[in-house]
Amino acid sequence: MSSSQTPPRLITLSSVGGALLGGLVFVGALLNYTRDVGRSPTAIGYAANFFETQAKAFLDGHLWVPDGSLSIEGFVQPDGHTYMYFGPFPALLRIPMLLVTDQFNGQLTVTSMFLAWLVLAVFVSRLCWLIRDLLRGDEPVTRTDAALAFLIIAGLTGGTVLTFDAALPWVYHEVYLWQSALVVAAMYWMIRVVREPDPRHFAWLGACALGAAWTRTTGGWGVCLAVLLLAAWMRWGRTNTHLRSWAPWALAAALIPLAAGIAVNMMKFGHPFMFPLENQVWTEVNEHRREALRVNGGSITGLQFFVPALVAYFGLGIRFVDYFPWITLPAHAPDGYGAFIDQAYRTGSVTMFMPLFLLLALTALPVILRPTGSHPRGEALRSLRAPALAGFLMTGGVMAYGYFAYRYTSEFVPALALGTLIALWAWVAPLARRSRARAVGLGGVVAAGVAFGMVANSAVGLTEAATQYQGEKLARYVSWQNDISGGRESGLSRIITTAEELPETGRADELLIVGDCDALYLGTGREDEAWSVVEQRNQVLEVRFPDPLKDGETLLFESDGPEQREVLLRTRRDGFAWLVFANEDGRINGAPFQPAPEQVMRVGLRGEPSLGVLELSSAPGGFVGYLPAQEWSDDWLVQHRTFTSPWTEAGVDEQTLVSVRPGVGVAPTLCPALAADNDIALP
C-alpha cells in the first residue's frame, strides 16, 4: 500500500502537526513576539511599502513608480522614470486590497510573508509524501515514518534561514519567502507531471514557474531552465516513450513563464535578466559601490566572488556567546579574499545554521545521481533530477555575487528541502525501521538538528529585529538580556563598557554607556552603522525671562557635527519670544508666545531613537520640530549627532538678560538598572 492509499490519519497528523510546530516558531519571529500584524522593521516603515507603490503603478497602467518612492533602491532609467528591480508578483497580490482601500499601505508585508509560509508548508508536506511514494512504493506508513516526517516538516517550515527572514518583514525578505515557497511548489509539480501527466498539473507547474520568475530572477530562471530540460527528457528520453506526447506541455510550462519574466525585465531595464546597477540611486550616493563597479568591470557579479561566497555561506559562520540569546551571527563581515566586495554584512552560514538539512541534502546526491537504467524505481529516481537541477541552478547567482548577507542563504532552502526529503525516505526512515534503538537514536539526532535550527535562526532574527528598529524594541531586547543573563561577573557584564563620548567604532554586541547614562548604545559589528541607540537621556533647560524683554538670541543647544546647528531662543522687545532651530539649510521658527514677567519656560530635547531624531519642544511654546540625531554621511555611513548645552550651570545671557539653568528631565530607566545589576561604575 503506498502512502497515497494509506488511511490518512498518520499522514495528516504528521503533516499538520509538523507545520503547526514550524509555524509557531516562524510566526513568533514574524510578529517579533507581539500581536502587531502590520509591523515593519523600522519605525519609519522603510522598504515596507515598495510593493504597494508598484501595485498602484500597475493600477495606473504603467511599470514606473514615482521618483524617490523607492529611496536608494530605485533605478532611474534614461527615460527619466524610476523602476524597482523586484519582480511584480508580490505587488500583484496587493491589488485586490488596494482596489478596496489604501488604509493598510506599508502594513501588508507580514500578511504576505505569512501567506508565502502557508504555501511553503503545504508543498513541503505534499512533496514529503510524494517523494515517499517514489522511493518506498507500497510500504505502509509506520509511526516511525510519521514521527520522522513530523520533525522534518517542522524543521523545514520553522528551522531555516526563512525564520530569520521573517524577523525583518520588508521587501528584501518577503521576496525570499515567496521565492522559496514557489520553487518548492514547482519542484512538487515537476515530479507530478512525470508521475501523472495531466493538463492541470502542467498548468500548476507553469503557474509556479511564472510566480517564481516574477518574484526573483534566480529562482525563476532556475525553475524554467530545469523544466526546459525536463521537456527535452520527455521528448527524447529512451525509457519514457509514454511521456513524449506531453513534452510540448512541459515546453509551454517553461517558455511562457520565462518569456514573461524576460518581458518585464526588458521593459524596465532593456536586458533579459540583469539590472543596470550604474543607474541605481544607491550607486549615485555611495562611492564604495561606484568603486566596486569600476574594479569589477561594471558589474558586481563574477567568478572572482565564488571563493569568498563559498567560505561565507558554507564556512563556520556562527558565534556562540555566554549571554542571551546565546547564538549570534559572526562578529565580522566575510572576507573578500582578494575580490573587491560591494557590500558585506555579518553572515551566518548554511553549515552552522542549518547543519541537519545540509548533511541530509549531501547524502541525497548519490540517490539522485546513481545510474537508473536497471533500477526497479528508475523512472521515479529520474523524476527527481529536474527539481534537483532547479534547486542547484538558482544558487548560481548568489555564489557569483559580490554582496554578502545572511538572507542570501535563502537561495539554498529549496535545494536543502528537496535533498532532505529524499534522504529521509532513501535511508533515514528505512534505517530507523530496523530496530527501536535505531529509531530512537535517529529520531533524537533529527529532533536535535531541527531544534537547533529553530533556536539559532530565531535567536539571530530576534537580535536583528531589535537592532534595526532601535529605541523601545531594542530596549526590550537588552532588558531581556539583562534579566536572563546579566549579573555581576556574568557574560553580559563583560560586554558592557563606558565612555565619555561615543567612539566611531565598536565591537559586535557591545553595550556602551555614555557618560552618566546619558545614552546607551548596542554595537552592531557593521562598518556602515556601528551603533544602534537603545535609549537617551532627555535634556531640559529652564529659562526665566527678564522684564522687559530685549532684542537678541540666546544659544541653548548646539550640535557636535561639522555643520553649525543650534537651538536658539529669540526674544523681542515687543514682548514676544520663540524657539529657533538654525542649520545649514536655514532657520525653523517655533510658535511665538508672550511670556509673563519672570515666567519660567522649560525647553526640552527628547530622544526618539527608532526615528533617529530629537524632538524639540517647550512649555510655553509647544512643539517646534525634530532635530537629526542620526544621519547619513557623504560615504553613506550612519553618524550619530549629539546636542549639548553651554549652560552646564545656571547663568544669565549678557545680551538678552535671559536666565538659564539646567533642568531635570525624564531619566532613562534601563541604563541605570543595567549598570547596577552588572556592577558597572558610572561617573
Side-chain angles (χ1 to χ4, degrees):
M1 181 182 295
S2 69
S3 62
S4 61
Q5 298 170 315
T6 298
R9 181 172 173 271
L10 276 179
I11 293 176
T12 301
L13 289 176
S14 176
S15 301
V16 174
L20 285 176
L21 177 57
L24 183 65
V25 176
F26 179 87
V27 171
L30 184 62
L31 296 179
N32 198 25
Y33 310 99
T34 68
R35 292 177 290 178
D36 186 3
V37 296
R39 79 179 189 94
S40 63
T42 64
I44 61 174
Y46 174 74
N49 67 337
F50 287 0
F51 285 127
E52 284 90 328
T53 301
Q54 181 68 82
K56 290 178 180 178
F58 289 154
L59 291 175
D60 291 336
H62 50 75
L63 281 170
W64 51 266
V65 298
D67 294 344
S69 60
L70 304 181
S71 185
I72 59 173
E73 298 296 351
F75 282 72
V76 183
Q77 290 295 90
D79 63 4
H81 290 312
T82 298
Y83 297 90
M84 69 186 301
Y85 65 90
F86 300 105
F89 177 74
L92 293 173
L93 293 177
R94 287 160 164 80
I95 287 179
M97 176 65 75
L98 293 177
L99 288 173
V100 177
T101 178
D102 60 1
Q103 178 181 352
F104 302 105
N105 187 35
Q107 301 178 50
L108 298 175
T109 306
V110 167
T111 301
S112 177
M113 292 175 75
F114 178 69
L115 290 175
W117 177 86
L118 283 177
V119 174
L120 177 72
V122 167
F123 281 98
V124 161
S125 299
R126 298 190 72 175
L127 188 61
C128 174
W129 298 108
L130 178 60
I131 291 175
R132 188 191 186 282
D133 276 350
L134 294 178
L135 300 183
R136 307 318 313 166
D138 294 334
E139 294 180 6
V141 176
T142 66
R143 291 184 179 180
T144 298
D145 292 344
L148 288 170
F150 162 83
L151 291 172
I152 293 297
I153 292 170
L156 292 175
T157 56
T160 72
V161 64
L162 300 182
T163 294
F164 166 82
D165 292 343
L168 293 171
W170 49 12
V171 292
Y172 310 109
H173 291 184
E174 181 182 351
V175 293
Y176 274 119
L177 259 297
W178 275 113
Q179 174 181 250
S180 298
L182 291 166
V183 172
V184 169
M187 289 174 167
Y188 170 82
W189 289 113
M190 284 185 218
I191 299 172
R192 283 292 300 273
V193 298
V194 174
R195 296 282 287 173
E196 304 171 56
D198 182 278
R200 293 173 301 170
H201 298 166
F202 283 101
W204 278 112
L205 175 58
C208 293
L210 177 61
W214 277 359
T215 300
R216 275 188 61 83
T217 301
T218 51
W221 277 70
V223 168
C224 291
L225 292 177
V227 178
L228 276 176
L229 292 175
L230 177 64
W233 175 72
M234 286 181 166
R235 175 63 182 83
W236 289 292
R238 291 178 297 177
T239 60
N240 53 300
T241 56
H242 64 289
L243 294 175
R244 287 183 180 174
S245 63
W246 294 102
W249 289 84
L251 190 65
L255 290 181
I256 293 174
L258 187 61
I262 291 173
V264 171
N265 215 68
M266 289 292 294
M267 285 188 284
K268 292 193 290 188
F269 305 122
H271 192 279
F273 57 87
M274 293 292 288
F275 313 127
L277 291 175
E278 66 275 11
N279 295 339
Q280 191 178 22
V281 175
W282 172 245
T283 304
E284 179 183 342
V285 302
N286 186 258
E287 174 62 30
H288 186 82
R289 160 62 69 80
R290 295 194 294 272
E291 181 67 8
L293 290 175
R294 186 190 67 78
V295 171
N296 293 295
S299 172
I300 54 172
T301 59
L303 292 179
Q304 70 271 28
F305 300 119
F306 180 81
V307 171
L310 185 67
V311 175
Y313 299 134
F314 293 96
L316 303 179
I318 200 169
R319 185 165 172 249
F320 297 97
V321 294
D322 56 354
Y323 48 84
F324 180 81
W326 321 118
I327 300 172
T328 74
L329 295 172
H332 304 285
D335 194 294
Y337 294 96
F340 194 99
I341 303 300
D342 175 28
Q343 290 177 264
Y345 298 93
R346 298 168 63 185
T347 301
S349 69
V350 174
T351 309
M352 303 307 294
F353 278 90
M354 296 175 279
L356 173 68
F357 303 134
L358 178 61
L359 175 63
L360 292 177
L362 290 174
T363 64
L365 289 176
V367 179
I368 299 170
L369 301 176
R370 68 187 299 175
T372 59
S374 59
H375 196 280
R377 299 192 182 279
E379 183 176 299
L381 293 174
R382 288 191 291 273
S383 70
L384 297 173
R385 291 175 179 172
L389 182 63
F392 173 75
L393 289 175
M394 67 178 286
T395 66
V398 74
M399 293 300 295
Y401 190 43
Y403 187 130
F404 301 130
Y406 184 43
R407 69 173 180 267
Y408 287 147
T409 61
S410 304
E411 298 277 6
F412 302 101
V413 168
L416 293 175
L418 180 70
T420 294
L421 294 172
I422 292 172
L424 169 64
W425 301 120
W427 68 268
V428 176
L431 188 60
R433 296 174 73 173
R434 292 185 181 180
S435 70
R436 182 176 180 83
R438 289 182 179 181
V440 172
L442 283 172
V445 170
V446 171
V450 166
F452 177 80
M454 290 177 170
V455 171
N457 285 285
S458 296
V460 294
L462 178 67
T463 301
E464 193 67 16
T467 304
Q468 284 288 343
Y469 201 92
Q470 306 190 84
E472 58 179 307
K473 294 185 179 179
L474 183 52
R476 181 189 69 161
Y477 171 81
V478 174
S479 178
W480 287 354
Q481 284 191 307
N482 188 43
D483 292 342
I484 296 170
S485 58
R488 184 176 182 180
E489 298 184 358
S490 65
L492 185 68
S493 69
R494 288 190 287 274
I495 62 169
I496 301 174
T497 59
T498 60
E500 286 303 311
E501 58 183 26
L502 184 68
E504 290 187 3
T505 61
R507 297 170 297 155
D509 304 338
E510 175 184 359
L511 288 166
L512 175 67
I513 299 173
V514 175
D516 185 15
C517 276
D518 296 327
L520 175 63
Y521 296 89
L522 173 73
T524 65
R526 292 169 50 176
E527 293 185 2
D528 63 327
E529 189 172 359
W531 301 100
S532 286
V533 186
V534 183
E535 62 179 2
Q536 296 168 299
R537 182 187 296 275
N538 294 342
Q539 300 180 67
V540 175
L541 293 177
E542 295 182 353
V543 177
R544 189 180 298 272
F545 296 92
D547 184 21
L549 296 183
K550 297 182 176 294
D551 280 336
E553 293 182 338
T554 302
L555 175 64
L556 300 181
F557 298 101
E558 57 187 343
S559 171
D560 63 348
E563 301 88 0
Q564 185 176 6
R565 295 172 177 174
E566 301 172 328
V567 176
L568 307 165
L569 174 63
R570 178 78 166 92
T571 55
R572 208 165 59 190
R573 68 178 60 190
D574 63 1
F576 282 91
W578 61 90
L579 288 178
V580 178
F581 172 53
N583 63 14
E584 64 273 19
D585 296 323
R587 296 163 69 93
I588 300 173
N589 296 313
F593 61 93
Q594 287 183 290
E598 298 300 312
Q599 181 176 358
V600 175
M601 177 178 72
R602 290 171 61 85
V603 181
L605 287 177
R606 184 174 68 89
E608 289 282 2
S610 58
L611 297 174
V613 298
L614 300 170
E615 179 187 308
L616 172 62
S617 60
S618 66
F623 172 77
V624 177
Y626 291 108
L627 316 186
Q630 301 174 50
E631 57 186 343
W632 296 99
S633 69
D634 292 339
D635 295 327
W636 214 252
L637 303 177
V638 172
Q639 296 180 329
H640 295 268
R641 302 300 189 198
T642 302
F643 281 81
T644 58
S645 175
W647 302 98
T648 57
E649 297 179 352
V652 178
D653 185 288
E654 295 181 356
Q655 178 190 7
T656 63
L657 300 183
V658 167
S659 301
V660 185
R661 68 177 182 181
V664 179
V666 177
T669 57
L670 174 59
C671 181
L674 186 70
D677 292 344
N678 293 276
D679 199 23
I680 304 298
L682 298 177

